[in-house]
Structure formats: C-alpha cells, structure tokens
Amino acid sequence: MVAAAEHIWLGRLVNAFAFIGAGGHHAGRDFFGGYCCFNDVAIAIERLREAHGLRRVAILDTDAHHGDGTRDVYQDDPAVLHVCLCGTDHVSADGTKVDVAVYRRCLEAGSRSDEVYLEAARGAFASRIRSFRPDLIIWYFGFDGHRGDYGDLGLTAACYTGLVGLTLSLAGEMCGGRLLVVLGGGSRTDLASTLIPPIIARLADAGA
Ligand SMILES: [Zn+2]
Ligand SMILES: [Zn+2]
C-alpha cells in the first residue's frame, strides 16, 4: 500500500489498486476497531509527505460505514479533503471534512440506489475537489454496501463502475491521473471476484 503510493508519486505508475486484506479507516490516532489495526491510508499519506513533499490529498470513502479513524487523524488538517458516504450529513467549517447521508436515500430509492449513490458521490466530491486541487486522489473502495453484503445499501456492480469512472476522470482532470484505490470493507468473495477485476482493468487502461 505504501509502496503503491510511492510508485504513483514518483511517476513509476499512474494509478494502482491496493489489494489488501483489511482496510484501515476505523483506525484513529489512539483507537482502532472494525478489524482495522492500522490506518493504511494515513500511513501512506504521511510517508509521501515526509519523504516526498506531498501537500494536498483528497480521499473518497465509499465503504458503507463512517470512516471514523481517517476522520480522527485528519480532523484538523485542511490539506486533506475527506469525503465519506455514510449515515449522517456533515460539512466542517473549512469544507474539507464531509459526510453524506446515503443510507436512507439509498434504501428509499430501492432499485435506483446506484443512481442515488453516484449522484451523492458526484455532488459531494466532484464539486469540492475542483477548488481543493489535490496532488493525489485516494478512493477508499469498500464494497460492503453491495446488495447482499453486510452493509447492504442495495448497490450493484453498476455503482462501482460509475465510481471508477468518476475517480479516474477527476484524477485525470486534477492531478495527472494519480489515483490510488484501496480495498476497504466487503466480505463476499463472489462479489470481490466480480467487482474488482473490471476496476483494475479500467485503471490499467487509463494508466497505459
Ligand atoms: Zn464498512
Ligand atoms: Zn462518514
């Protein structure tokens, strides 16, 4: 994960998919939970900052649950835009910490939940990132909100296809294509094996 971030930052790769065992977004400064012992995204960001001069980074968190650990680490850091799709609506005073309440909206939308979720992601992330101007985009890709997984929001593969398109196009527009996708929550191997290869294929096409 840290190596993937460094390869991107140093121009050896345009983008990467970090296929890791467990995500880290529930690990904060002095607590951990939800099978997250270390906050891998924060560790990668801090490595790039200390060793390579990274300044501004934007994180889109599409795990079904609130990224409380990542939020804790970067709560007072205006150089990190953290947009998290979860169960509450919140925008910090400086506009860099954002939660979007998608639970109810998706459940009410029924078969239109993909559309509603993507619209929420676009509305919260795309609009802010253009004024934020990050050097790197990180997509914390949880798929536990897929229909039938433990964070079921009724989402299907179409939602994740839309999200990879969104993050790739924003990375292309804002930061030379630099996009790191990090595997977050999700428990079903059948879903993983269906959802992940097309995402990697899209990244590979964009990076070729
Ligand atoms: Zn989750
Ligand atoms: Zn959240």
Side-chain angles (χ1 to χ4, degrees), residues 25-26 34 36 61-67 103 140 142-145 150-151 184-186:
H25 79 158
H26 295 308
C36 302
D61 185 333
T62 66
D63 189 283
H65 305 97
H66 177 57
Y103 294 170
Y140 189 81
F143 62 91
D144 46 354
Y150 59 81

Side-chain angles (χ1 to χ4, degrees), residues 1 6 9 70 83 113 124 173 199 205:
M1 159 83 199
E6 287 193 293
W9 189 249
T70 307
V83 174
S113 61
E173 187 186 328
I199 291 175
D205 281 349

